[in-house]
């Protein structure tokens, strides 16, 4: 049977589980907020969500806000990042991990990733520390926790603040301790495709009551928790989550553990099946990972294992078979116009200068995964074994017929332009 991209019958036409997911619980909880007429940020479900989110992450404090970008910005402000401070961050992440630093008038300094876990490499991060370094932002990429033993030590040794961007990592844990509570603060996103969502939303978790109070106050117009409505003790703004969001997120949070389990079982099965295809590999998790929600599964593609078919053509072929694979980020963050000289970043803020020449930066492990990575996202793993078998079947079909893609004049060239 020929490849679907060349007119054959696709392996699969059924859709994978849809995301976002919801049931009657969200419907009932949304109506409860509607009928209460307390639609704003002080609906009781906001405090309830903060309590249960803090409990899941085994920290005393959780403060909600409008989105994950703002959560990161507030946490950075809370630990004192300001004009001219350098903050070390991974270049293989969503842009918000770095722009939140810029919004505090700090300077992102990119260090390379570990090729196995795709998280910031502790050794590469350490090499970038200067007297101006103020903090490290670690991203638990795809849900795989970063090496929190190494980062905690590094932060202590150099007296740096440690912030965890846990936008991919709801419920993830490292050596039995949930992410978010390892650093000074952890931040989460509830954006539409994240593991828990109300369309938008964010959360800051911390062990520090000062940081929690600052975060709450900053998100609530500089008020004091016990102060008057018109009493403002610091510069703040309105970053409040609404009651509608927190009501939906309460339902999503209750569903998270069983979804995490389902995804882990399916990833485990897929990993075993992939051993038949040396051209497509899924790295083992670090043995110290005790909870992994598999927000993104990154496969590494080697054309050698598929008759020399380039990655992007292999992706097209698998998509035609009904498998929703995607290429990774097209390039590391520092290649964005924002970070190039013509992006006018340098000199935008008084006292700002990068110790790093973004223009000439090329961090090998980050560059490599942008070339050879293939993503499968979390919703794909919410179904059953048959879904995994069909993914493996499609990969097997591509493996057997890969050379036929190269035979057809025009296909390879056309797809790669
Ligand atoms: C989604 C995401 C954010 C930002 O979250 P928003 O809620 O969309 O603002 C930050 N960091 C990472 C790694 C993300 O994936």
């Amino acid at each position: 049977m020929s490849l679907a991209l060349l007119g054959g019958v696709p392996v699969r036409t059924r859709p994978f589980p849809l995301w976002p997911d919801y049931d009657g619980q969200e419907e009932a909880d949304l109506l409860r907020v509607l009928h209460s007429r307390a639609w704003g940020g002080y609906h009781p479900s906001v405090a309830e969500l903060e309590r249960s989110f803090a409990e899941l992450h085994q920290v005393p404090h959780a403060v909600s806000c409008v989105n994950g970008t703002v959560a990161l910005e507030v946490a950075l402000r809370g630990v004192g990042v300001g004009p001219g401070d350098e903050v070390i961050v991974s270049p293989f992440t969503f842009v918000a991990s770095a722009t939140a630093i810029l919004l505090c008038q700090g300077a992102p300094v990119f260090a390379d990733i570990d090729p196995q876990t795709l998280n910031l490499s502790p050794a590469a991060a350490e090499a970038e520390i200067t007297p101006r370094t103020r903090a490290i932002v670690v991203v638990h990429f795809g849900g795989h926790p970063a090496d929190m033993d190494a980062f905690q030590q590094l932060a202590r040794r150099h007296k740096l603040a440690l912030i965890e961007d846990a936008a991919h990592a709801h419920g993830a844990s490292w050596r039995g301790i949930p992410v978010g509570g390892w650093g000074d603060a952890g931040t989460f996103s509830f954006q539409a495709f994240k593991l828990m969502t109300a369309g938008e939303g964010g959360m800051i978790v911390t062990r520090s009551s000062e940081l929690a109070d600052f975060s709450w106050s900053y998100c609530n117009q500089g008020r004091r928790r016990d102060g008057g409505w018109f009493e403002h003790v610091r510069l703040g703004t309105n970053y409040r989550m609404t009651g509608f969001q927190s009501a939906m997120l309460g339902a999503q949070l209750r569903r998270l553990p069983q979804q995490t389990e389902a995804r882990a079982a399916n990833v485990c099965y897929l990993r075993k099946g992939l051993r038949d295809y040396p051209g497509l590999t899924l790295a083992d998790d670090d043995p110290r990972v005790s909870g992994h929600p598999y927000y993104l599964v990154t496969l590494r593609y080697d054309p050698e294992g598929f008759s020399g078919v380039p990655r992007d053509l292999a992706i097209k072929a698998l998509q035609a078979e009904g498998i929703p694979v995607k290429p990774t980020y097209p390039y590391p963050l520092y290649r964005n116009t924002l970070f190039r000289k013509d992006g006018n970043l340098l000199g935008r803020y008084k006292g700002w200068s990068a110790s790093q020449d973004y223009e000439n930066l090329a961090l090998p492990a980050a560059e490599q995964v942008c070339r050879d990575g293939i993503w499968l996202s979390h919703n794909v793993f919410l179904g059953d074994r048959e879904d995994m078998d069909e993914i493996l079947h499609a990969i097997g079909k591509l493996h057997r017929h890969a050379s036929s893609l190269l035979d057809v004049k025009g296909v390879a060239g056309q797809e790669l332009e």
Side-chain angles (χ1 to χ4, degrees):
M1 224 178 16
S2 66
L3 291 170
L5 190 60
L6 301 178
V9 181
V11 166
R12 178 181 172 113
T13 49
R14 284 186 304 140
F16 281 87
L18 297 178
W19 198 262
D21 186 27
Y22 70 92
D23 63 20
Q25 191 67 55
E26 276 90 342
E27 293 180 1
D29 292 346
L30 279 171
L31 280 176
R32 199 168 306 124
V33 179
L34 184 76
H35 297 155
S36 77
R37 295 181 195 267
W39 297 348
Y42 296 98
H43 187 276
S45 71
V46 175
E48 273 164 39
L49 174 71
E50 290 172 342
R51 267 195 303 277
S52 37
F53 201 83
E55 195 182 322
L56 176 74
H57 291 92
Q58 294 173 25
V59 288
H61 312 284
V63 178
S64 59
C65 61
V66 290
N67 60 53
T69 307
V70 153
L72 201 51
E73 181 196 331
V74 172
L76 287 163
R77 285 187 196 282
V79 297
V81 170
D85 288 337
E86 292 181 359
V87 180
I88 297 168
V89 64
S90 163
F92 187 68
T93 174
F94 183 61
V95 73
S97 308
T99 47
I101 300 164
L102 288 167
L103 287 166
C104 300
Q105 305 191 15
V109 171
F110 297 106
D112 207 0
I113 56 173
D114 176 311
Q116 208 72 15
T117 65
L118 309 180
N119 285 320
L120 187 62
S121 146
E126 184 163 24
E128 295 300 331
I129 294 173
T130 74
R132 291 196 296 174
T133 307
R134 184 72 181 242
I136 302 176
V137 171
V138 296
V139 183
H140 302 297
F141 191 82
H144 187 301
D147 181 346
M148 295 319 291
D149 297 310
F151 281 111
Q152 230 180 26
Q153 268 183 23
L154 197 59
R156 283 193 187 135
R157 197 153 10 103
H158 296 270
K159 299 198 166 48
L160 305 176
L162 182 59
I163 306 290
E164 299 171 61
D165 179 349
H168 296 179
H170 311 67
S173 65
W174 176 258
R175 287 203 297 102
I177 299 169
V179 303
W182 285 86
D184 294 284
T187 64
F188 292 83
S189 163
F190 306 122
Q191 175 264 345
F193 199 66
K194 297 287 155 65
L195 295 163
M196 285 173 55
T197 179
E200 300 286 353
M203 192 75 83
I204 301 144
V205 302
T206 180
R207 296 182 181 282
S208 153
S209 54
E210 290 91 69
L211 191 56
D213 286 345
F214 169 84
S215 302
W216 186 91
S217 177
Y218 194 87
C219 295
N220 284 276
Q221 304 287 21
R223 293 188 177 104
R224 281 195 304 126
R225 281 197 208 253
D226 305 323
W229 186 254
F230 292 120
E231 185 193 345
H232 309 280
V233 298
R234 64 164 59 74
L235 176 64
T237 181
N238 178 2
Y239 281 162
R240 281 192 304 277
M241 175 182 279
T242 68
F244 294 106
Q245 289 168 290
S246 52
M248 286 192 66
L249 289 166
Q252 305 256 321
L253 181 63
R254 287 191 288 279
R255 220 174 278 128
L256 183 68
Q258 86 216 33
Q259 290 178 332
T260 304
E261 236 174 83
R263 283 189 298 261
N266 278 325
V267 171
C268 180
Y269 184 79
L270 184 74
R271 194 193 298 278
K272 285 197 193 102
L274 280 172
R275 291 193 190 130
D276 295 339
Y277 308 103
L280 209 48
T281 47
L282 175 54
D284 285 334
D285 297 334
D286 187 298
R288 290 167 292 176
V289 172
S290 48
H292 190 333
Y294 298 104
Y295 174 71
L296 277 175
V297 168
T298 308
L299 308 175
R300 309 300 291 271
Y301 181 81
D302 180 0
E304 293 286 293
F306 292 88
S307 311
V309 168
R311 177 193 69 166
D312 290 358
L313 184 54
I315 288 174
K316 290 256 159 62
L318 288 171
Q319 286 172 341
E321 300 297 342
I323 310 303
V325 286
K326 291 188 204 95
T328 47
Y329 301 119
Y331 33 71
L333 285 184
Y334 50 78
R335 290 199 189 277
N336 277 286
T337 307
L338 168 67
F339 292 100
R340 301 309 219 182
K341 288 207 177 70
D342 61 1
N344 197 26
L345 195 68
L346 296 169
R348 181 177 296 174
Y349 303 120
K350 252 205 172 91
W352 196 98
S353 70
S355 72
Q356 201 166 46
D357 174 13
Y358 299 132
E359 192 83 13
N360 292 305
L361 203 56
L363 300 170
E367 299 276 341
Q368 183 61 31
V369 66
C370 291
R371 281 193 298 266
D372 72 15
I374 295 182
W375 275 335
L376 280 165
S377 49
H378 58 93
N379 61 304
V380 167
F381 300 99
L382 281 180
D384 50 27
R385 280 289 154 82
E386 202 182 322
D387 292 337
M388 299 303 107
D389 284 331
E390 283 176 345
I391 294 174
L392 291 166
H393 181 176
I395 292 168
K397 190 174 164 189
L398 175 64
H399 184 252
R400 282 193 308 281
H401 298 282
S403 59
S404 67
L405 283 173
L406 299 172
D407 294 344
V408 179
K409 205 165 167 273
V411 172
Q414 190 191 318
E415 299 297 331
L416 284 174
E417 277 312 308

